[in-house]
Amino acid sequence: ILREYWDGVQGNYVSQIPVDEEPTSTNQLTIFEGPTNIDTNYGTRIRGYICPPATGEYTFWIASNDHSELWLSTDDDPANKVRIAYLTRATAPREWTKFVTQRSAPVLLEQGKRYYIEALHKQGIGTDHIAVGWQLPDGAMERPIPGNRLSPFEMNTAAMASETQSTSSPDASMYSQISVYPNPAQSGAPE
């Protein structure tokens, strides 16, 4: 899952993160958890797609220091995201039950579909951390969510595909649109 980092962002509020500007740095995470105790006065956005292993109701949690918000789309389109959990006060690392707002209501998700997910985190001063977890329909907890349930964010896939078609051969265009889904890939026929 993609982590975007903006350095030198003053204040404590998620709304102060300059998400419309180029981030200072980016990296890929292999678990839905950011690094801890790295800096002060910064903002991050962690985003990508979540791939439910079974159809059913999922409950999400967010833990962070300082403020954070968790957004989930009804599908893979970021335009359809809604805020499902948030924090306006700090928790300890992986402290999932300190505030009522850090837990989502149950959300119905379908196996075989992917859903856009986004966590915003604003760090002021002090210790810093962010993590997102969930409870599966069978009651199992994955806190934080492991990388095998996540896939990377794809920015402007349709726009990139149309640009590729107009500037290169048809074969190159075809290969630029290949993606593996679900993540992780599985061999054999779908169940």
Side-chain angles (χ1 to χ4, degrees), residues 59-71:
T59 302
F60 291 81
W61 284 265
I62 191 165
S64 69
N65 183 0
D66 290 304
H67 298 188
S68 62
E69 295 180 350
L70 182 61
W71 296 74

PDB file of all heavy atoms in Angstrom, residues 59-71:
ATOM      1  N   THR A  59     -15.304  -4.889  10.446  1.00  0.00           N
ATOM      2  CA  THR A  59     -15.188  -3.714  11.296  1.00  0.00           C
ATOM      3  C   THR A  59     -13.730  -3.259  11.238  1.00  0.00           C
ATOM      4  O   THR A  59     -12.815  -4.076  11.312  1.00  0.00           O
ATOM      5  CB  THR A  59     -15.587  -4.037  12.742  1.00  0.00           C
ATOM      6  OG1 THR A  59     -16.931  -4.530  12.747  1.00  0.00           O
ATOM      7  CG2 THR A  59     -15.503  -2.801  13.626  1.00  0.00           C
ATOM      8  N   PHE A  60     -13.528  -1.935  11.084  1.00  0.00           N
ATOM      9  CA  PHE A  60     -12.197  -1.359  10.961  1.00  0.00           C
ATOM     10  C   PHE A  60     -11.856  -0.546  12.208  1.00  0.00           C
ATOM     11  O   PHE A  60     -12.737   0.015  12.853  1.00  0.00           O
ATOM     12  CB  PHE A  60     -12.136  -0.424   9.746  1.00  0.00           C
ATOM     13  CG  PHE A  60     -12.239  -1.138   8.421  1.00  0.00           C
ATOM     14  CD1 PHE A  60     -13.469  -1.519   7.915  1.00  0.00           C
ATOM     15  CD2 PHE A  60     -11.089  -1.410   7.685  1.00  0.00           C
ATOM     16  CE1 PHE A  60     -13.557  -2.171   6.685  1.00  0.00           C
ATOM     17  CE2 PHE A  60     -11.170  -2.051   6.464  1.00  0.00           C
ATOM     18  CZ  PHE A  60     -12.414  -2.436   5.964  1.00  0.00           C
ATOM     19  N   TRP A  61     -10.556  -0.446  12.508  1.00  0.00           N
ATOM     20  CA  TRP A  61     -10.039   0.386  13.594  1.00  0.00           C
ATOM     21  C   TRP A  61      -8.863   1.200  13.081  1.00  0.00           C
ATOM     22  O   TRP A  61      -8.141   0.753  12.189  1.00  0.00           O
ATOM     23  CB  TRP A  61      -9.532  -0.460  14.753  1.00  0.00           C
ATOM     24  CG  TRP A  61     -10.584  -1.056  15.617  1.00  0.00           C
ATOM     25  CD1 TRP A  61     -11.089  -0.547  16.782  1.00  0.00           C
ATOM     26  CD2 TRP A  61     -11.246  -2.307  15.434  1.00  0.00           C
ATOM     27  NE1 TRP A  61     -12.027  -1.400  17.313  1.00  0.00           N
ATOM     28  CE2 TRP A  61     -12.144  -2.494  16.501  1.00  0.00           C
ATOM     29  CE3 TRP A  61     -11.175  -3.301  14.450  1.00  0.00           C
ATOM     30  CZ2 TRP A  61     -12.947  -3.614  16.632  1.00  0.00           C
ATOM     31  CZ3 TRP A  61     -11.982  -4.415  14.569  1.00  0.00           C
ATOM     32  CH2 TRP A  61     -12.857  -4.558  15.660  1.00  0.00           C
ATOM     33  N   ILE A  62      -8.653   2.372  13.675  1.00  0.00           N
ATOM     34  CA  ILE A  62      -7.477   3.180  13.402  1.00  0.00           C
ATOM     35  C   ILE A  62      -6.875   3.598  14.742  1.00  0.00           C
ATOM     36  O   ILE A  62      -7.609   3.900  15.688  1.00  0.00           O
ATOM     37  CB  ILE A  62      -7.817   4.394  12.506  1.00  0.00           C
ATOM     38  CG1 ILE A  62      -6.532   5.074  12.009  1.00  0.00           C
ATOM     39  CG2 ILE A  62      -8.761   5.363  13.192  1.00  0.00           C
ATOM     40  CD1 ILE A  62      -6.764   6.033  10.842  1.00  0.00           C
ATOM     41  N   ALA A  63      -5.548   3.568  14.822  1.00  0.00           N
ATOM     42  CA  ALA A  63      -4.821   4.017  16.012  1.00  0.00           C
ATOM     43  C   ALA A  63      -3.717   4.949  15.541  1.00  0.00           C
ATOM     44  O   ALA A  63      -3.054   4.667  14.542  1.00  0.00           O
ATOM     45  CB  ALA A  63      -4.230   2.828  16.763  1.00  0.00           C
ATOM     46  N   SER A  64      -3.537   6.095  16.226  1.00  0.00           N
ATOM     47  CA  SER A  64      -2.511   7.043  15.773  1.00  0.00           C
ATOM     48  C   SER A  64      -2.168   8.069  16.848  1.00  0.00           C
ATOM     49  O   SER A  64      -2.878   8.234  17.821  1.00  0.00           O
ATOM     50  CB  SER A  64      -2.988   7.786  14.524  1.00  0.00           C
ATOM     51  OG  SER A  64      -4.048   8.674  14.837  1.00  0.00           O
ATOM     52  N   ASN A  65      -1.083   8.769  16.604  1.00  0.00           N
ATOM     53  CA  ASN A  65      -0.691   9.943  17.360  1.00  0.00           C
ATOM     54  C   ASN A  65      -0.098  10.900  16.327  1.00  0.00           C
ATOM     55  O   ASN A  65       0.897  10.582  15.700  1.00  0.00           O
ATOM     56  CB  ASN A  65       0.351   9.584  18.417  1.00  0.00           C
ATOM     57  CG  ASN A  65       0.721  10.773  19.278  1.00  0.00           C
ATOM     58  OD1 ASN A  65       0.220  11.876  19.112  1.00  0.00           O
ATOM     59  ND2 ASN A  65       1.631  10.551  20.212  1.00  0.00           N
ATOM     60  N   ASP A  66      -0.700  11.986  15.962  1.00  0.00           N
ATOM     61  CA  ASP A  66      -1.835  12.655  16.580  1.00  0.00           C
ATOM     62  C   ASP A  66      -3.134  12.268  15.833  1.00  0.00           C
ATOM     63  O   ASP A  66      -3.535  11.132  15.848  1.00  0.00           O
ATOM     64  CB  ASP A  66      -1.640  14.175  16.515  1.00  0.00           C
ATOM     65  CG  ASP A  66      -0.508  14.648  17.437  1.00  0.00           C
ATOM     66  OD1 ASP A  66      -0.576  14.364  18.632  1.00  0.00           O
ATOM     67  OD2 ASP A  66       0.417  15.298  16.947  1.00  0.00           O
ATOM     68  N   HIS A  67      -3.728  13.227  15.128  1.00  0.00           N
ATOM     69  CA  HIS A  67      -5.027  13.044  14.498  1.00  0.00           C
ATOM     70  C   HIS A  67      -4.944  12.155  13.263  1.00  0.00           C
ATOM     71  O   HIS A  67      -3.941  12.144  12.553  1.00  0.00           O
ATOM     72  CB  HIS A  67      -5.617  14.390  14.092  1.00  0.00           C
ATOM     73  CG  HIS A  67      -5.863  15.306  15.250  1.00  0.00           C
ATOM     74  ND1 HIS A  67      -6.535  16.481  15.115  1.00  0.00           N
ATOM     75  CD2 HIS A  67      -5.546  15.233  16.564  1.00  0.00           C
ATOM     76  CE1 HIS A  67      -6.620  17.093  16.281  1.00  0.00           C
ATOM     77  NE2 HIS A  67      -6.017  16.356  17.177  1.00  0.00           N
ATOM     78  N   SER A  68      -6.053  11.435  12.989  1.00  0.00           N
ATOM     79  CA  SER A  68      -6.119  10.597  11.798  1.00  0.00           C
ATOM     80  C   SER A  68      -7.561  10.365  11.382  1.00  0.00           C
ATOM     81  O   SER A  68      -8.489  10.559  12.167  1.00  0.00           O
ATOM     82  CB  SER A  68      -5.418   9.256  12.039  1.00  0.00           C
ATOM     83  OG  SER A  68      -6.067   8.545  13.079  1.00  0.00           O
ATOM     84  N   GLU A  69      -7.719   9.968  10.122  1.00  0.00           N
ATOM     85  CA  GLU A  69      -9.029   9.611   9.570  1.00  0.00           C
ATOM     86  C   GLU A  69      -8.863   8.382   8.698  1.00  0.00           C
ATOM     87  O   GLU A  69      -7.847   8.244   8.000  1.00  0.00           O
ATOM     88  CB  GLU A  69      -9.600  10.744   8.709  1.00  0.00           C
ATOM     89  CG  GLU A  69      -9.912  11.999   9.478  1.00  0.00           C
ATOM     90  CD  GLU A  69     -10.472  13.119   8.599  1.00  0.00           C
ATOM     91  OE1 GLU A  69     -10.448  13.001   7.347  1.00  0.00           O
ATOM     92  OE2 GLU A  69     -10.928  14.118   9.179  1.00  0.00           O
ATOM     93  N   LEU A  70      -9.879   7.513   8.693  1.00  0.00           N
ATOM     94  CA  LEU A  70      -9.901   6.334   7.834  1.00  0.00           C
ATOM     95  C   LEU A  70     -11.090   6.448   6.891  1.00  0.00           C
ATOM     96  O   LEU A  70     -12.222   6.651   7.335  1.00  0.00           O
ATOM     97  CB  LEU A  70     -10.001   5.056   8.671  1.00  0.00           C
ATOM     98  CG  LEU A  70      -9.983   3.749   7.885  1.00  0.00           C
ATOM     99  CD1 LEU A  70      -8.666   3.594   7.107  1.00  0.00           C
ATOM    100  CD2 LEU A  70     -10.202   2.565   8.814  1.00  0.00           C
ATOM    101  N   TRP A  71     -10.811   6.333   5.593  1.00  0.00           N
ATOM    102  CA  TRP A  71     -11.818   6.458   4.542  1.00  0.00           C
ATOM    103  C   TRP A  71     -11.882   5.158   3.754  1.00  0.00           C
ATOM    104  O   TRP A  71     -10.863   4.517   3.504  1.00  0.00           O
ATOM    105  CB  TRP A  71     -11.454   7.595   3.594  1.00  0.00           C
ATOM    106  CG  TRP A  71     -11.445   8.943   4.247  1.00  0.00           C
ATOM    107  CD1 TRP A  71     -10.504   9.451   5.105  1.00  0.00           C
ATOM    108  CD2 TRP A  71     -12.439   9.961   4.107  1.00  0.00           C
ATOM    109  NE1 TRP A  71     -10.850  10.727   5.498  1.00  0.00           N
ATOM    110  CE2 TRP A  71     -12.033  11.067   4.890  1.00  0.00           C
ATOM    111  CE3 TRP A  71     -13.618  10.059   3.374  1.00  0.00           C
ATOM    112  CZ2 TRP A  71     -12.772  12.233   4.982  1.00  0.00           C
ATOM    113  CZ3 TRP A  71     -14.352  11.219   3.457  1.00  0.00           C
ATOM    114  CH2 TRP A  71     -13.935  12.299   4.253  1.00  0.00           C
TER     115      TRP A  71
END
